[in-house]
């Protein structure tokens, strides 16, 4: 465990080792609330780290605060590895979106919906609005405190590494991810708390940069296909993601497929054939 450390009057961060995508090695868990406390990201599957998580969580009870629930931001394995165990050990309900529950062998005590509020009483009362932000994962949720201008962003933004947006076969949706990035970027957030890496100040700037970066890749795909139509995904990945280290190419390939699906849906690119034989023009 790294931390815990206090980030604001009602937010604490502790970071736990998880089987995540390098360069990230940890997933951040957040404790929200100054008396009533909600824990976000029951992420770690490792026994030593789970014990550290329990100790961290129990310290809130020992200091007179009351644990209310554990929130799961989405179903990926580096976010839910401790969900069942930690909920059982702490006697806490799991809260998540229905699309997340549908992908896990877990029962949600409360299904979170877009626009609903999690109100936490205490010396510094806070209300966190649930934002359903699919794209990276179908049930992904963020939490937004309008009064303090804080955002828990899960895997929508990263303080280290990049966000993988898989194609539909991996439950991703590039067009939706970009829509949700623009939505988050319009929130006037003062700081965003990502699942990986350090807090992000003025997150609207990173949202804009992410959108610009993705649209840049897309423009490059269209350029390449205009000059040399009839390319396969394998041929395109080397051309469009030539700057990405070989080790990261499998992830680049997934992003490329997600971009191609979006471009085909927008009728900016055509596809003939299917599977590995599919050619894009
Ligand atoms: Zn994820």
């Amino acid at each position: 465990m790294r931390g815990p450390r206090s980030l604001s009057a009602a937010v604490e961060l502790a970071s736990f080792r998880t089987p995540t995508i390098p360069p990230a090695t940890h997933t951040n868990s957040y404790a929200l609330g100054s008396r009533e406390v909600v824990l976000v990201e029951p992420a770690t599957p490792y026994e030593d780290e789970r014990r550290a998580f329990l100790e961290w969580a129990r310290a809130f009870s020992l200091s007179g605060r009351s644990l209310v629930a554990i929130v799961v931001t989405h179903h990926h394995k580096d976010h839910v590895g401790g969900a069942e165990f930690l909920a059982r050990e702490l006697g806490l309900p799991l809260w998540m979106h229905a699309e997340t529950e549908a992908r896990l062998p877990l029962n949600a005590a409360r299904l979170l919906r877009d626009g609903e509020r999690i109100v936490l009483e205490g010396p510094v009362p806070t209300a966190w609005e649930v934002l359903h932000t699919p794209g990276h994962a179908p049930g992904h949720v963020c939490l937004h405190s309008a009064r303090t201008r804080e955002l828990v962003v899960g895997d929508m933004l990263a303080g280290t590494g990049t966000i993988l947006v898989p194609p539909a076969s991996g439950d991703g949706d590039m067009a939706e991810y970009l829509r949700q990035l623009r939505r988050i970027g319009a929130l006037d957030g003062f700081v965003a708390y990502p699942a990986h890496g350090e807090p992000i100040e003025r997150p609207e700037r990173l949202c804009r940069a992410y959108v610009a970066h993705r649209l840049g890749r897309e423009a490059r795909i269209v350029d390449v296909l205009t000059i040399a139509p009839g390319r396969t995904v394998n041929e395109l990945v080397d051309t469009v993601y030539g700057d990405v280290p070989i080790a990261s190419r499998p992830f680049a390939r997934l992003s490329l497929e997600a971009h191609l699906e979006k471009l085909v849906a927008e009728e900016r690119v055509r596809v003939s054939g299917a599977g590995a034989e599919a050619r894009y023009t």
Side-chain angles (χ1 to χ4, degrees):
M1 176 173 76
R2 294 175 182 160
R5 67 184 217 255
S6 178
L7 299 177
S8 72
V11 178
E12 197 171 297
L13 159 67
S15 201
F16 299 89
R17 195 161 42 79
T18 55
T20 187
I21 299 176
T25 55
H26 288 59
T27 301
N28 296 330
S29 294
Y30 295 97
L32 312 179
S34 57
R35 188 176 71 244
E36 291 183 323
V37 173
V38 162
L39 303 171
V40 186
E41 311 279 24
T44 184
Y46 305 123
E47 207 195 317
D48 56 333
E49 291 289 85
R50 285 173 168 186
R51 275 202 302 273
F53 190 109
L54 287 178
E55 233 171 87
W56 174 54
R58 285 174 178 144
F60 291 107
S61 306
L62 294 173
S63 66
R65 295 196 255 181
S66 57
L67 297 172
V68 174
I70 298 175
V71 170
V72 176
T73 62
H74 65 298
H75 72 282
H76 289 159
K77 71 176 192 314
D78 55 331
H79 295 259
V80 299
E84 189 181 12
F85 173 84
L86 295 169
R88 189 176 62 239
E89 289 295 311
L90 294 166
L92 292 175
L94 289 166
W95 295 353
M96 67 193 79
H97 192 272
E99 293 285 349
T100 296
E101 189 195 41
R103 286 163 178 78
L104 294 172
L106 293 174
N107 288 320
R110 175 174 172 184
L111 293 177
L112 300 174
R113 291 165 194 265
D114 190 74
E116 75 175 87
R117 280 151 54 93
I118 297 171
V119 177
L120 300 172
E121 300 298 341
V124 185
T126 46
W128 295 85
E129 184 184 355
V130 175
L131 307 174
H132 179 216
T133 53
H136 170 73
H140 193 286
V141 292
C142 296
L143 300 174
H144 176 223
S145 165
R147 192 178 61 78
T148 58
R149 298 169 66 206
E150 294 169 289
L151 268 162
V152 178
V153 290
D155 272 355
M156 285 298 290
L157 299 172
T160 183
T162 55
I163 299 296
L164 174 65
V165 179
S169 60
D171 264 347
D173 184 330
M174 184 64 78
E176 189 60 47
Y177 175 65
L178 295 183
R179 255 196 299 282
Q180 297 301 334
L181 270 182
R182 290 190 175 102
R183 179 182 177 208
I184 287 175
L187 284 175
D188 183 33
F190 174 69
V191 63
Y193 303 129
H196 307 288
E198 285 296 301
I200 299 157
E201 285 177 23
R202 302 278 312 279
E204 77 276 12
R205 290 183 300 192
L206 192 60
C207 289
R208 271 202 304 273
Y210 273 24
V211 171
H213 175 74
R214 300 284 180 175
L215 295 182
R217 286 280 186 215
E218 238 170 61
R220 175 101 177 102
I221 294 167
V222 172
D223 280 353
V224 169
L225 291 178
T226 304
I227 296 163
R231 302 276 116 184
T232 63
V233 168
N234 278 337
E235 289 165 349
L236 276 171
V237 75
D238 292 332
T239 318
V240 177
Y241 289 85
D243 58 320
V244 171
I246 293 288
S248 301
R249 292 285 169 88
F251 301 121
R253 191 196 153 95
L254 291 171
S255 286
L256 172 61
E257 287 179 43
H259 277 301
L260 286 168
E261 284 176 354
K262 174 172 177 284
L263 289 167
V264 168
E266 292 169 352
E267 299 184 347
R268 293 165 66 195
V269 165
R270 286 197 316 276
V271 59
S272 58
E277 300 303 310
R279 291 192 173 273
Y280 295 89
T281 299

